[in-house]
Amino acid sequence: MVGAINGHAIAGGFVLALCRDWRIAAQTQFLAGLTEVRVGVPYPVAAMEVVREELRPDTARRLVLFGQNMTAAAVDAGVFDEMAASDALLERALAKADEFAALPQIAFARSKRQLRSRAYEAIEAAIAGAEPLLDGWLSRETIQAAAAVLARKA
């Protein structure tokens, strides 16, 4: 899957972008980050596994633990594979999708599964009921932190 990211990619939107096999960001001002910690939200297993698999350890640490946002430096940090002019983003993404679609499908699917097997196993275990964050997802700390962030925005 090719992702064409045309603006901000924050929190869950960033995780969705990381789920793409190839990520192209628009050459525009944007923020990309994992800001859940700022509002006291712990990461579910699936999101954490995607982050672990797709980001370099130093980048994951800065984004997850400190809720930092990145700008165009996200390409250098390996968050995005490339950038394209905003008006050429969709065309570039479709060209990459065509390129990847020409690969042998079975080999691609098996290789992808092998590459991400640890993440798949952890996510499948969480779906089966081993997700430790389901109880108490909205803690008092989470509600207070979210309210504080929202109050600053008003």
Side-chain angles (χ1 to χ4, degrees):
M1 280 190 279
V2 175
I5 297 85
N6 64 356
H8 299 304
I10 305 291
F14 185 73
V15 173
L16 287 175
L18 291 177
C19 290
R20 306 299 157 236
D21 300 320
W22 192 264
R23 299 178 288 274
I24 306 169
Q27 290 173 333
T28 186
Q29 289 188 333
F30 65 86
L31 294 175
L34 298 165
T35 55
E36 284 81 354
V37 71
R38 290 184 187 182
V39 292
V41 174
Y43 283 85
V45 169
M48 186 60 74
E49 290 304 320
V50 169
V51 168
R52 280 189 186 134
E53 288 293 321
E54 294 299 319
L55 296 177
R56 296 187 321 225
D58 61 319
T59 301
R61 177 178 44 82
R62 284 194 306 270
L63 295 176
V64 170
L65 292 181
F66 307 111
Q68 294 178 348
N69 285 316
M70 303 183 86
T71 56
V75 173
D76 294 334
V79 173
F80 300 115
D81 297 295
E82 62 181 284
M83 294 186 81
S86 294
D87 60 351
L89 180 63
L90 182 57
E91 182 180 336
R92 179 69 184 141
L94 291 171
K96 287 306 273 188
D98 285 343
E99 176 185 333
F100 299 148
L103 296 170
Q105 292 180 5
I106 293 172
F108 181 83
R110 286 183 179 163
S111 296
K112 184 174 175 175
R113 181 77 184 188
Q114 286 176 297
L115 181 65
R116 296 177 176 153
S117 63
R118 285 185 311 166
Y120 287 145
E121 289 167 7
I123 292 167
E124 288 165 354
I127 290 169
E131 169 61 85
L133 299 176
L134 289 179
D135 293 328
W137 178 260
L138 291 177
S139 68
R140 180 174 300 209
E141 178 185 52
T142 301
I143 294 167
Q144 290 171 344
V149 168
L150 291 173
R152 286 193 298 266
K153 301 288 183 193

